[in-house]
Amino acid sequence: LDVLDSLGCLSQVDEDPDSIFGMKSVEEPSDNDDDDDDDEVEAFPLSPRGVALPLLQGTSRCLNEGLISEVYCSLPPRNRCVEQWVLLFSSVRDGDSFSTMYGNLKGATELLFVVMTTAGYVFGAFTPSAVEPKGRFFYGSPETFLFKGGMCRAFRSFPWSRENDHFIFALDRSIGFGSTPHFGVYFENTFQQGLTGNCATFNSPNLIDDEECDS
């Protein structure tokens, strides 16, 4: 899920190829059983860590086998038994509408938000909480975390720092993760552009800082 606001000191996300995956067991019935023939299921082998990776129902330009492996191993233990990830929303496939995104996510939990910039940086957030507009206050679970990878960067995840409990901020046309002094990830009005900055909630830096690639 991409969201952006023009907060001056934050870095901009360049484009919109973001994806949101819901995580579920294959034994669990799907609300979209009638559309199964239209979904592409992509299987990945064992990760370098020897972990059996989940099947992907849907296609994401943001995720590859290496990133899936790293994210999967960062999830809470209960989520590492999941056999399938289902693509619930993609700005490439579903467009630039917040109402569509929230509609697609209705009733879903255990969500993985993945963003890719035009420069190839990948970052995002995991939350076990349902994501829906709640008004002008933060909510969510301490299991929420941010992550970054892609390009020449090593994968890093940023769990809750205990500095504050500002996990998710969601309005009808905006969504953000973390705060103080900036949102860790934030989008507003459009998924074509977004913001990321250093964030006390997860003790995370700007998630598209390319200092690691200077050499």
Side-chain angles (χ1 to χ4, degrees):
L1 162 283
D2 299 357
V3 180
L4 88 55
D5 190 76
S6 54
L7 303 179
C9 54
L10 297 178
S11 299
Q12 293 185 348
V13 174
D14 300 313
E15 204 189 350
D16 67 340
D18 64 311
S19 306
I20 304 173
F21 280 87
M23 304 175 189
K24 70 172 189 176
S25 168
V26 292
E27 289 83 17
E28 190 174 329
S30 170
D31 293 334
N32 300 313
D33 286 342
D34 294 338
D35 300 327
D36 285 348
D37 292 339
D38 296 329
D39 292 324
E40 181 180 344
V41 177
E42 188 172 356
F44 287 93
L46 290 178
S47 76
R49 301 188 187 187
V51 176
L53 299 180
L55 299 176
L56 299 185
Q57 183 178 329
T59 300
S60 170
R61 294 196 295 178
C62 304
L63 289 170
N64 57 34
E65 180 185 335
L67 185 58
I68 290 170
S69 173
E70 297 289 358
V71 171
Y72 195 67
C73 292
S74 301
L75 296 173
R78 67 177 180 279
N79 296 105
R80 298 177 208 157
C81 301
V82 169
E83 298 174 356
Q84 185 168 257
W85 290 0
V86 179
L87 183 63
L88 301 178
F89 176 84
S90 167
S91 59
V92 173
R93 182 191 69 188
D94 301 314
D96 200 32
S97 168
F98 273 80
S99 60
T100 299
M101 182 200 70
Y102 286 129
N104 288 7
L105 301 187
K106 187 174 182 179
T109 58
E110 315 292 338
L111 298 171
L112 179 66
F113 290 70
V114 187
V115 180
M116 177 184 285
T117 73
T118 52
Y121 296 109
V122 179
F123 60 94
F126 166 81
T127 178
S129 307
V131 174
E132 57 188 353
K134 293 276 192 179
R136 293 187 175 278
F137 59 88
F138 287 87
Y139 68 97
S141 164
E143 291 182 320
T144 303
F145 66 84
L146 304 183
F147 64 88
K148 68 174 183 174
M151 299 292 288
C152 56
R153 308 185 302 175
F155 176 86
R156 287 188 64 189
S157 62
F158 303 92
W160 182 38
S161 69
R162 299 181 180 270
E163 286 293 320
N164 59 51
D165 57 0
H166 298 174
F167 303 112
I168 304 170
F169 180 85
L171 299 175
D172 288 341
R173 291 190 58 80
S174 65
I175 187 169
F177 295 90
S179 76
T180 312
H182 309 301
F183 288 103
V185 179
Y186 183 74
F187 290 90
E188 182 175 72
N189 295 325
T190 177
F191 297 139
Q192 304 298 317
Q193 192 178 35
L195 303 173
T196 174
N198 56 308
C199 164
T201 310
F202 305 103
N203 194 25
S204 57
N206 177 326
L207 297 176
I208 58 173
D209 190 339
D210 61 359
E211 288 181 0
E212 298 173 61
C213 297
D214 287 347
S215 58

